[in-house]
Amino acid sequence: VQLQASGGGLVHTGGSLRLSCAASGRTFSDYVMGWFRQAPGKEREYVAAISWSGGSTDYADSVKGRFTISRDNAKNAVYLQMNSLKPEDTAVYYCAADPGPIIVIMTGRPRFWGQGTQVTVSS
């Protein structure tokens, strides 16, 4: 499966952004999906995951209550709504996919990765 992330940009503290990830190549609903991020000088970290149907989601503690992951299997897309953004959310954000289960995403081992999209939050 090929993944294409978009929607990054520059926002002020407290602002919002919605990232999108378009998938192609295989049956989208066969994959659990997730988002990761990597800040300058830091290791890539897990952000959120969603199950095949969207019925189960999971979040890193650092974004819980502020970010929402969702998917639209009819549009072959997964989204990350980011609210109440903080400067520490500044990073390159990556979408990822795996046949599953969702724990594979949560433990940082997805099989497929998209290119990143830059999110910068100014203070």
Side-chain angles (χ1 to χ4, degrees):
V1 62
Q2 290 79 46
L3 305 172
Q4 180 78 30
S6 62
L10 172 65
V11 296
H12 292 296
T13 297
S16 298
L17 278 175
R18 188 192 194 210
L19 304 184
S20 299
C21 177
S24 62
R26 294 291 181 94
T27 302
F28 182 65
S29 58
D30 286 346
Y31 294 88
V32 295
M33 302 295 297
W35 288 95
F36 293 77
R37 66 187 182 185
Q38 187 168 19
K42 295 187 177 181
E43 294 186 355
R44 185 159 52 190
E45 65 173 352
Y46 165 73
V47 174
I50 190 165
S51 61
W52 300 276
S53 65
S56 295
T57 58
D58 184 79
Y59 299 91
D61 288 343
S62 58
V63 307
K64 203 169 293 184
R66 300 187 298 121
F67 290 11
T68 302
I69 188 171
S70 62
R71 67 189 295 162
D72 186 336
N73 287 346
K75 295 184 177 180
N76 292 351
V78 62
Y79 309 100
L80 186 68
Q81 178 66 44
M82 305 186 294
N83 298 329
S84 302
L85 283 162
K86 306 174 182 179
E88 51 263 44
D89 294 318
T90 295
V92 177
Y93 284 72
Y94 299 87
C95 60
D98 195 272
I102 193 173
I103 190 68
V104 174
I105 300 286
M106 294 165 59
T107 53
R109 297 175 291 119
R111 194 171 308 180
F112 303 101
W113 294 89
Q115 96 297 346
T117 185
Q118 176 71 48
V119 172
T120 303
V121 185
S122 63
S123 57

PDB file of all heavy atoms in Angstrom, residues 34-60:
ATOM      1  N   GLY A  34      -2.076   4.395  11.393  1.00  0.00           N
ATOM      2  CA  GLY A  34      -1.568   5.157  12.522  1.00  0.00           C
ATOM      3  C   GLY A  34      -0.809   6.389  12.074  1.00  0.00           C
ATOM      4  O   GLY A  34      -0.535   6.587  10.893  1.00  0.00           O
ATOM      5  N   TRP A  35      -0.505   7.215  13.063  1.00  0.00           N
ATOM      6  CA  TRP A  35       0.303   8.411  12.858  1.00  0.00           C
ATOM      7  C   TRP A  35       1.482   8.379  13.828  1.00  0.00           C
ATOM      8  O   TRP A  35       1.333   7.979  14.992  1.00  0.00           O
ATOM      9  CB  TRP A  35      -0.511   9.677  13.099  1.00  0.00           C
ATOM     10  CG  TRP A  35      -1.531   9.963  12.032  1.00  0.00           C
ATOM     11  CD1 TRP A  35      -2.855   9.608  12.048  1.00  0.00           C
ATOM     12  CD2 TRP A  35      -1.316  10.666  10.808  1.00  0.00           C
ATOM     13  NE1 TRP A  35      -3.466  10.040  10.897  1.00  0.00           N
ATOM     14  CE2 TRP A  35      -2.547  10.702  10.125  1.00  0.00           C
ATOM     15  CE3 TRP A  35      -0.213  11.282  10.226  1.00  0.00           C
ATOM     16  CZ2 TRP A  35      -2.709  11.320   8.890  1.00  0.00           C
ATOM     17  CZ3 TRP A  35      -0.364  11.889   8.994  1.00  0.00           C
ATOM     18  CH2 TRP A  35      -1.596  11.904   8.339  1.00  0.00           C
ATOM     19  N   PHE A  36       2.614   8.821  13.330  1.00  0.00           N
ATOM     20  CA  PHE A  36       3.827   8.963  14.126  1.00  0.00           C
ATOM     21  C   PHE A  36       4.382  10.363  13.866  1.00  0.00           C
ATOM     22  O   PHE A  36       3.970  11.035  12.927  1.00  0.00           O
ATOM     23  CB  PHE A  36       4.866   7.912  13.721  1.00  0.00           C
ATOM     24  CG  PHE A  36       4.472   6.504  14.066  1.00  0.00           C
ATOM     25  CD1 PHE A  36       3.544   5.815  13.292  1.00  0.00           C
ATOM     26  CD2 PHE A  36       5.020   5.862  15.164  1.00  0.00           C
ATOM     27  CE1 PHE A  36       3.166   4.512  13.617  1.00  0.00           C
ATOM     28  CE2 PHE A  36       4.651   4.565  15.498  1.00  0.00           C
ATOM     29  CZ  PHE A  36       3.721   3.896  14.720  1.00  0.00           C
ATOM     30  N   ARG A  37       5.320  10.780  14.694  1.00  0.00           N
ATOM     31  CA  ARG A  37       5.969  12.062  14.461  1.00  0.00           C
ATOM     32  C   ARG A  37       7.422  12.005  14.895  1.00  0.00           C
ATOM     33  O   ARG A  37       7.799  11.201  15.741  1.00  0.00           O
ATOM     34  CB  ARG A  37       5.237  13.184  15.203  1.00  0.00           C
ATOM     35  CG  ARG A  37       5.295  13.103  16.727  1.00  0.00           C
ATOM     36  CD  ARG A  37       4.408  14.166  17.339  1.00  0.00           C
ATOM     37  NE  ARG A  37       4.478  14.161  18.800  1.00  0.00           N
ATOM     38  CZ  ARG A  37       3.728  14.930  19.575  1.00  0.00           C
ATOM     39  NH1 ARG A  37       2.835  15.758  19.053  1.00  0.00           N
ATOM     40  NH2 ARG A  37       3.861  14.862  20.897  1.00  0.00           N
ATOM     41  N   GLN A  38       8.211  12.881  14.283  1.00  0.00           N
ATOM     42  CA  GLN A  38       9.626  12.972  14.639  1.00  0.00           C
ATOM     43  C   GLN A  38      10.028  14.430  14.692  1.00  0.00           C
ATOM     44  O   GLN A  38       9.957  15.146  13.683  1.00  0.00           O
ATOM     45  CB  GLN A  38      10.496  12.219  13.635  1.00  0.00           C
ATOM     46  CG  GLN A  38      11.953  12.143  14.042  1.00  0.00           C
ATOM     47  CD  GLN A  38      12.736  11.160  13.204  1.00  0.00           C
ATOM     48  OE1 GLN A  38      12.340  10.775  12.108  1.00  0.00           O
ATOM     49  NE2 GLN A  38      13.874  10.708  13.736  1.00  0.00           N
ATOM     50  N   ALA A  39      10.414  14.848  15.882  1.00  0.00           N
ATOM     51  CA  ALA A  39      10.892  16.212  16.083  1.00  0.00           C
ATOM     52  C   ALA A  39      12.390  16.261  15.814  1.00  0.00           C
ATOM     53  O   ALA A  39      13.079  15.245  15.898  1.00  0.00           O
ATOM     54  CB  ALA A  39      10.589  16.656  17.511  1.00  0.00           C
ATOM     55  N   PRO A  40      12.910  17.447  15.509  1.00  0.00           N
ATOM     56  CA  PRO A  40      14.339  17.575  15.242  1.00  0.00           C
ATOM     57  C   PRO A  40      15.187  17.044  16.391  1.00  0.00           C
ATOM     58  O   PRO A  40      14.951  17.398  17.553  1.00  0.00           O
ATOM     59  CB  PRO A  40      14.526  19.083  15.065  1.00  0.00           C
ATOM     60  CG  PRO A  40      13.201  19.577  14.634  1.00  0.00           C
ATOM     61  CD  PRO A  40      12.193  18.724  15.342  1.00  0.00           C
ATOM     62  N   GLY A  41      16.130  16.186  16.086  1.00  0.00           N
ATOM     63  CA  GLY A  41      17.026  15.662  17.092  1.00  0.00           C
ATOM     64  C   GLY A  41      16.440  14.593  17.991  1.00  0.00           C
ATOM     65  O   GLY A  41      17.094  14.159  18.947  1.00  0.00           O
ATOM     66  N   LYS A  42      15.212  14.174  17.692  1.00  0.00           N
ATOM     67  CA  LYS A  42      14.556  13.169  18.529  1.00  0.00           C
ATOM     68  C   LYS A  42      14.185  11.941  17.695  1.00  0.00           C
ATOM     69  O   LYS A  42      14.129  11.997  16.478  1.00  0.00           O
ATOM     70  CB  LYS A  42      13.311  13.756  19.185  1.00  0.00           C
ATOM     71  CG  LYS A  42      13.603  14.876  20.160  1.00  0.00           C
ATOM     72  CD  LYS A  42      12.350  15.294  20.907  1.00  0.00           C
ATOM     73  CE  LYS A  42      12.645  16.367  21.930  1.00  0.00           C
ATOM     74  NZ  LYS A  42      11.425  16.763  22.686  1.00  0.00           N
ATOM     75  N   GLU A  43      13.923  10.858  18.400  1.00  0.00           N
ATOM     76  CA  GLU A  43      13.480   9.653  17.723  1.00  0.00           C
ATOM     77  C   GLU A  43      12.015   9.777  17.311  1.00  0.00           C
ATOM     78  O   GLU A  43      11.245  10.536  17.911  1.00  0.00           O
ATOM     79  CB  GLU A  43      13.663   8.442  18.645  1.00  0.00           C
ATOM     80  CG  GLU A  43      15.107   8.120  18.955  1.00  0.00           C
ATOM     81  CD  GLU A  43      15.256   6.838  19.742  1.00  0.00           C
ATOM     82  OE1 GLU A  43      14.223   6.254  20.132  1.00  0.00           O
ATOM     83  OE2 GLU A  43      16.401   6.423  19.983  1.00  0.00           O
ATOM     84  N   ARG A  44      11.651   9.024  16.301  1.00  0.00           N
ATOM     85  CA  ARG A  44      10.253   9.000  15.882  1.00  0.00           C
ATOM     86  C   ARG A  44       9.399   8.402  16.993  1.00  0.00           C
ATOM     87  O   ARG A  44       9.796   7.411  17.615  1.00  0.00           O
ATOM     88  CB  ARG A  44      10.106   8.195  14.594  1.00  0.00           C
ATOM     89  CG  ARG A  44       8.719   8.217  14.003  1.00  0.00           C
ATOM     90  CD  ARG A  44       8.739   7.865  12.522  1.00  0.00           C
ATOM     91  NE  ARG A  44       9.443   6.633  12.248  1.00  0.00           N
ATOM     92  CZ  ARG A  44       9.763   6.230  11.023  1.00  0.00           C
ATOM     93  NH1 ARG A  44       9.452   6.973   9.971  1.00  0.00           N
ATOM     94  NH2 ARG A  44      10.388   5.091  10.844  1.00  0.00           N
ATOM     95  N   GLU A  45       8.229   8.991  17.244  1.00  0.00           N
ATOM     96  CA  GLU A  45       7.370   8.519  18.315  1.00  0.00           C
ATOM     97  C   GLU A  45       5.955   8.276  17.818  1.00  0.00           C
ATOM     98  O   GLU A  45       5.468   8.930  16.895  1.00  0.00           O
ATOM     99  CB  GLU A  45       7.343   9.519  19.483  1.00  0.00           C
ATOM    100  CG  GLU A  45       6.726  10.856  19.158  1.00  0.00           C
ATOM    101  CD  GLU A  45       6.573  11.738  20.394  1.00  0.00           C
ATOM    102  OE1 GLU A  45       6.809  11.272  21.523  1.00  0.00           O
ATOM    103  OE2 GLU A  45       6.201  12.924  20.221  1.00  0.00           O
ATOM    104  N   TYR A  46       5.318   7.360  18.466  1.00  0.00           N
ATOM    105  CA  TYR A  46       3.932   6.999  18.170  1.00  0.00           C
ATOM    106  C   TYR A  46       2.990   8.116  18.595  1.00  0.00           C
ATOM    107  O   TYR A  46       3.192   8.718  19.651  1.00  0.00           O
ATOM    108  CB  TYR A  46       3.612   5.712  18.915  1.00  0.00           C
ATOM    109  CG  TYR A  46       2.157   5.367  19.033  1.00  0.00           C
ATOM    110  CD1 TYR A  46       1.445   4.920  17.928  1.00  0.00           C
ATOM    111  CD2 TYR A  46       1.491   5.501  20.241  1.00  0.00           C
ATOM    112  CE1 TYR A  46       0.104   4.597  18.048  1.00  0.00           C
ATOM    113  CE2 TYR A  46       0.160   5.178  20.367  1.00  0.00           C
ATOM    114  CZ  TYR A  46      -0.533   4.726  19.269  1.00  0.00           C
ATOM    115  OH  TYR A  46      -1.860   4.418  19.383  1.00  0.00           O
ATOM    116  N   VAL A  47       1.960   8.369  17.779  1.00  0.00           N
ATOM    117  CA  VAL A  47       0.967   9.389  18.101  1.00  0.00           C
ATOM    118  C   VAL A  47      -0.420   8.779  18.294  1.00  0.00           C
ATOM    119  O   VAL A  47      -1.065   8.992  19.312  1.00  0.00           O
ATOM    120  CB  VAL A  47       0.910  10.463  16.996  1.00  0.00           C
ATOM    121  CG1 VAL A  47      -0.224  11.448  17.272  1.00  0.00           C
ATOM    122  CG2 VAL A  47       2.248  11.194  16.883  1.00  0.00           C
ATOM    123  N   ALA A  48      -0.894   8.021  17.301  1.00  0.00           N
ATOM    124  CA  ALA A  48      -2.256   7.494  17.376  1.00  0.00           C
ATOM    125  C   ALA A  48      -2.416   6.326  16.416  1.00  0.00           C
ATOM    126  O   ALA A  48      -1.665   6.202  15.442  1.00  0.00           O
ATOM    127  CB  ALA A  48      -3.272   8.580  17.042  1.00  0.00           C
ATOM    128  N   ALA A  49      -3.424   5.489  16.710  1.00  0.00           N
ATOM    129  CA  ALA A  49      -3.715   4.340  15.860  1.00  0.00           C
ATOM    130  C   ALA A  49      -5.218   4.136  15.765  1.00  0.00           C
ATOM    131  O   ALA A  49      -5.972   4.534  16.660  1.00  0.00           O
ATOM    132  CB  ALA A  49      -3.046   3.081  16.409  1.00  0.00           C
ATOM    133  N   ILE A  50      -5.640   3.490  14.676  1.00  0.00           N
ATOM    134  CA  ILE A  50      -7.061   3.213  14.484  1.00  0.00           C
ATOM    135  C   ILE A  50      -7.208   1.849  13.825  1.00  0.00           C
ATOM    136  O   ILE A  50      -6.409   1.459  12.974  1.00  0.00           O
ATOM    137  CB  ILE A  50      -7.714   4.332  13.637  1.00  0.00           C
ATOM    138  CG1 ILE A  50      -9.232   4.192  13.618  1.00  0.00           C
ATOM    139  CG2 ILE A  50      -7.132   4.378  12.227  1.00  0.00           C
ATOM    140  CD1 ILE A  50      -9.944   5.448  13.105  1.00  0.00           C
ATOM    141  N   SER A  51      -8.238   1.128  14.249  1.00  0.00           N
ATOM    142  CA  SER A  51      -8.456  -0.228  13.755  1.00  0.00           C
ATOM    143  C   SER A  51      -9.041  -0.226  12.346  1.00  0.00           C
ATOM    144  O   SER A  51      -9.343   0.820  11.777  1.00  0.00           O
ATOM    145  CB  SER A  51      -9.387  -0.969  14.709  1.00  0.00           C
ATOM    146  OG  SER A  51     -10.652  -0.309  14.769  1.00  0.00           O
ATOM    147  N   TRP A  52      -9.244  -1.401  11.793  1.00  0.00           N
ATOM    148  CA  TRP A  52      -9.683  -1.543  10.409  1.00  0.00           C
ATOM    149  C   TRP A  52     -10.997  -0.808  10.131  1.00  0.00           C
ATOM    150  O   TRP A  52     -11.120  -0.138   9.105  1.00  0.00           O
ATOM    151  CB  TRP A  52      -9.896  -3.015  10.085  1.00  0.00           C
ATOM    152  CG  TRP A  52      -8.689  -3.880  10.231  1.00  0.00           C
ATOM    153  CD1 TRP A  52      -7.695  -4.086   9.304  1.00  0.00           C
ATOM    154  CD2 TRP A  52      -8.353  -4.699  11.360  1.00  0.00           C
ATOM    155  NE1 TRP A  52      -6.754  -4.958   9.798  1.00  0.00           N
ATOM    156  CE2 TRP A  52      -7.141  -5.356  11.054  1.00  0.00           C
ATOM    157  CE3 TRP A  52      -8.947  -4.935  12.593  1.00  0.00           C
ATOM    158  CZ2 TRP A  52      -6.508  -6.239  11.940  1.00  0.00           C
ATOM    159  CZ3 TRP A  52      -8.325  -5.791  13.470  1.00  0.00           C
ATOM    160  CH2 TRP A  52      -7.131  -6.433  13.132  1.00  0.00           C
ATOM    161  N   SER A  53     -11.945  -0.928  11.023  1.00  0.00           N
ATOM    162  CA  SER A  53     -13.255  -0.300  10.807  1.00  0.00           C
ATOM    163  C   SER A  53     -13.351   1.066  11.447  1.00  0.00           C
ATOM    164  O   SER A  53     -14.323   1.792  11.225  1.00  0.00           O
ATOM    165  CB  SER A  53     -14.352  -1.187  11.399  1.00  0.00           C
ATOM    166  OG  SER A  53     -14.215  -1.252  12.800  1.00  0.00           O
ATOM    167  N   GLY A  54     -12.359   1.412  12.255  1.00  0.00           N
ATOM    168  CA  GLY A  54     -12.414   2.674  12.985  1.00  0.00           C
ATOM    169  C   GLY A  54     -13.058   2.551  14.348  1.00  0.00           C
ATOM    170  O   GLY A  54     -13.174   3.534  15.071  1.00  0.00           O
ATOM    171  N   GLY A  55     -13.451   1.339  14.720  1.00  0.00           N
ATOM    172  CA  GLY A  55     -14.133   1.145  15.976  1.00  0.00           C
ATOM    173  C   GLY A  55     -13.243   1.252  17.196  1.00  0.00           C
ATOM    174  O   GLY A  55     -13.727   1.494  18.306  1.00  0.00           O
ATOM    175  N   SER A  56     -11.952   1.070  16.997  1.00  0.00           N
ATOM    176  CA  SER A  56     -10.998   1.179  18.108  1.00  0.00           C
ATOM    177  C   SER A  56      -9.918   2.187  17.765  1.00  0.00           C
ATOM    178  O   SER A  56      -9.401   2.200  16.640  1.00  0.00           O
ATOM    179  CB  SER A  56     -10.347  -0.172  18.381  1.00  0.00           C
ATOM    180  OG  SER A  56     -11.299  -1.107  18.841  1.00  0.00           O
ATOM    181  N   THR A  57      -9.608   3.028  18.733  1.00  0.00           N
ATOM    182  CA  THR A  57      -8.541   4.004  18.557  1.00  0.00           C
ATOM    183  C   THR A  57      -7.653   4.001  19.789  1.00  0.00           C
ATOM    184  O   THR A  57      -8.052   3.535  20.871  1.00  0.00           O
ATOM    185  CB  THR A  57      -9.090   5.421  18.345  1.00  0.00           C
ATOM    186  OG1 THR A  57      -9.909   5.778  19.467  1.00  0.00           O
ATOM    187  CG2 THR A  57      -9.909   5.523  17.068  1.00  0.00           C
ATOM    188  N   ASP A  58      -6.464   4.538  19.630  1.00  0.00           N
ATOM    189  CA  ASP A  58      -5.518   4.634  20.729  1.00  0.00           C
ATOM    190  C   ASP A  58      -4.655   5.863  20.520  1.00  0.00           C
ATOM    191  O   ASP A  58      -4.400   6.259  19.379  1.00  0.00           O
ATOM    192  CB  ASP A  58      -4.634   3.385  20.802  1.00  0.00           C
ATOM    193  CG  ASP A  58      -3.690   3.412  21.996  1.00  0.00           C
ATOM    194  OD1 ASP A  58      -4.148   3.112  23.107  1.00  0.00           O
ATOM    195  OD2 ASP A  58      -2.502   3.766  21.810  1.00  0.00           O
ATOM    196  N   TYR A  59      -4.227   6.468  21.633  1.00  0.00           N
ATOM    197  CA  TYR A  59      -3.440   7.690  21.553  1.00  0.00           C
ATOM    198  C   TYR A  59      -2.269   7.647  22.516  1.00  0.00           C
ATOM    199  O   TYR A  59      -2.360   7.074  23.607  1.00  0.00           O
ATOM    200  CB  TYR A  59      -4.312   8.898  21.898  1.00  0.00           C
ATOM    201  CG  TYR A  59      -5.472   9.098  20.970  1.00  0.00           C
ATOM    202  CD1 TYR A  59      -6.709   8.524  21.243  1.00  0.00           C
ATOM    203  CD2 TYR A  59      -5.332   9.833  19.804  1.00  0.00           C
ATOM    204  CE1 TYR A  59      -7.779   8.683  20.383  1.00  0.00           C
ATOM    205  CE2 TYR A  59      -6.401  10.004  18.932  1.00  0.00           C
ATOM    206  CZ  TYR A  59      -7.619   9.422  19.230  1.00  0.00           C
ATOM    207  OH  TYR A  59      -8.671   9.588  18.369  1.00  0.00           O
ATOM    208  N   ALA A  60      -1.196   8.312  22.124  1.00  0.00           N
ATOM    209  CA  ALA A  60      -0.116   8.555  23.065  1.00  0.00           C
ATOM    210  C   ALA A  60      -0.615   9.512  24.136  1.00  0.00           C
ATOM    211  O   ALA A  60      -1.460  10.380  23.878  1.00  0.00           O
ATOM    212  CB  ALA A  60       1.082   9.157  22.331  1.00  0.00           C
TER     213      ALA A  60
END
